[in-house]
Amino acid sequence: MRRSNTGKFIVLFAIFAMLLGSFGMNKSNASPKKQSDNYYNEENRPQYHFTPEKNWMNDPNGLVYYKGKYHLFYQHNPYGNKWGNMSWGHAVSKDLVHWEHRPVALKPDDLGAIFSGSIVVDKHNTSGLFENGSGGLIAIYTSAGETQQQSIAYSTDEGETWTKYSGNPVIPNSDIVDFRDPKVMWYEEDEKWVMTIAAGDHVRFYSSKNLIEWKLMSKFGENQGAHGGVWECPELFKLPVDGDPTNTKWVLQVDINPGSVHGGSGGQYFIGEFDGAKFVNDNPQNEVKWVDYGKDFYATQTWSNTNNRQIWIAWMNNWQYAQAIPTSPWRSAMSIPRELSLKTFSGEGVKLVQNPVKELRRIEKKPYKWQEETIKPGENILADFDSKTYEITAEFELGSASEFGFKVRKGANEETVIKYDVSEEQLIFDRTDSGEDEFSKSFAGKFTAPLDPIDNKIKLHIFVDHSSVEVFANNGEKVMTNLIFPDGSSDGLEIFSKNGNVKLTSLTINEMESVWNKE
Ligand code: FRU
């Protein structure tokens, strides 16, 4: 019975395939695939953040802008929804917002798994790996086998396919236990490549003229910043201070796991000088500058080859519970891309400022606006609003209220609170009652960031996308990124004040379009 049915099916299928063939509808020229209603619609699936279609993802890798496209490679397990078989997944975008999935780019080999790394445009063929007169892309990554060593691969077809260099590893290693995550940049003044790489409890700087032969120049990290865990995914880049191109500073970003601001993994950064060989911290060595005051912003990397724009993205997760978060068939999302700048703050010196890239405005839907409203305890002027994908832009003028803010993804028994505590001068993110959290004891909690009002005002720019909330406070001076897993029915929004009133000078709410093709 079974057999004959299968047989029939094969015959029918063959006829169907022939018909398709005769009408020219083969794979290469068929109209775009129509996705099922369930495509990118699973519970907790972000709608305007990058997620792989299925399976595990961690760090962003190989971010590069090349020939009109932003490339996003990422740590990926092509065979499962937990960490393992580390490979580089790949996606491309013309606008940093809409992504197209591409085939897996780099797979494990004899030297080991493919851990994090970067990509540069070798415009002038310094490597000699391209044809005369043409350049191409070079990936520099960690081969993680018995030891962690650095390898390279090259692509002549805009990152679609890769050839591993036959002389790998280009930086062999037999003694350093954690030696990984090379980020390479072109150092114009000396016409050389500079690699920043993590080596356990410090970073190392290497230089090269051809991306193949590397020389150790210096180390940085002993007694500097936070050391509660291993250092990973470092990066060095230069930015103008207060928008003045004649006054630049170097930023050295270093991830740490565990030992971050609220436990587990997170990022810190140093501001200083780099002379082509050595980084010198401008600030006291024990001072720690946190990149993000939430729990879920790790392994940042900036796009290379973007001229004057410095844009990074991070893995929105924390190694404390990364492999247990309740999502399927994929696991993990990237943050929204953020544009970086340096700003001087009185009494605090130069600090890193992060703001959402302007390209996100393309997916904003019709705005809802309010102005000059007084928010009183017990009154919620947003009671009619329900959504799981939106952006809030709000400015408050402090009044008699001791606390004020928003409750997002609010349901009968769930809420995620983002509020300002006036007397403590703190921004607070509370996900204690945000939804599902049994998968890890380290998940539920209340996280704080110090935040001074500016001219008696607090500004909050908040991005909610199903299972994540990113808060940019006071024009990106402080940022908090956190995951949440509320029930699907918890889609309410509340604006509130406690123990007095607060003035809402302006409020805009934009629902956001989905960036995934669900036609
Ligand atoms: C950071 C990290 C990197 C490493 C990669 C492995 O999250 O541990 O140091 O290269 O993940 O997947």
Side-chain angles (χ1 to χ4, degrees), residues 390-410:
Y390 55 95
E391 171 192 3
I392 300 173
T393 315
E395 186 184 80
F396 296 92
E397 192 175 307
L398 307 193
S400 53
S402 62
E403 286 182 351
F404 58 85
F406 296 95
K407 294 180 182 175
V408 304
R409 296 299 317 264
K410 200 172 136 65

Side-chain angles (χ1 to χ4, degrees), residues 157 170 221 228 252 425 467 476 483:
D157 59 2
V170 293
L252 176 62
E425 298 197 318
S467 44
L483 296 177

Side-chain angles (χ1 to χ4, degrees), residues 58-59 75 83 86 115-116 180-181 232-233 298 315 319:
N58 56 294
D59 318 352
Q75 286 288 280
W83 189 87
M86 293 324 288
F115 274 17
S116 287
R180 55 178 182 263
D181 311 336
E232 299 184 319
C233 304
Y298 196 59
W315 176 50
W319 279 115

Side-chain angles (χ1 to χ4, degrees), residues 187-207:
Y187 188 74
E188 187 63 49
E189 289 85 335
D190 297 351
E191 298 193 343
K192 67 183 183 190
W193 300 100
V194 170
M195 175 195 291
T196 307
I197 185 167
D201 59 356
H202 63 277
V203 300
R204 294 182 172 203
F205 299 106
Y206 285 76
S207 72

Side-chain angles (χ1 to χ4, degrees), residues 253-256 260-263 265-269 288-300 312-318 335-336 338 352 354 427 429 447-450 469-473 476-483:
Q253 190 278 333
V254 181
D255 288 292
I256 174 176
S260 187
V261 58
H262 298 301
S265 43
Q268 60 180 323
Y269 69 94
V288 183
K289 293 182 184 300
W290 297 111
V291 165
D292 189 294
Y293 280 80
K295 281 201 72 158
D296 302 302
F297 193 75
Y298 196 59
T300 53
W312 75 15
I313 202 164
W315 176 50
M316 279 203 292
N317 216 331
N318 189 312
S335 70
I336 51 174
R338 302 176 181 179
L352 189 65
Q354 304 174 58
L427 179 66
F429 192 111
F447 318 117
T448 60
V469 183
E470 285 157 280
V471 183
F472 299 81
E477 175 194 339
K478 286 277 160 49
V479 193
M480 274 185 156
T481 305
N482 288 305
L483 296 177

Side-chain angles (χ1 to χ4, degrees), residues 39-40 50-53 74 90-92 99-103 516:
Y39 187 69
Y40 271 78
F50 179 80
T51 50
E53 263 179 346
Y74 53 90
H90 185 200
V92 293
W99 294 97
E100 184 193 322
H101 296 293
R102 305 305 310 154
W516 301 104

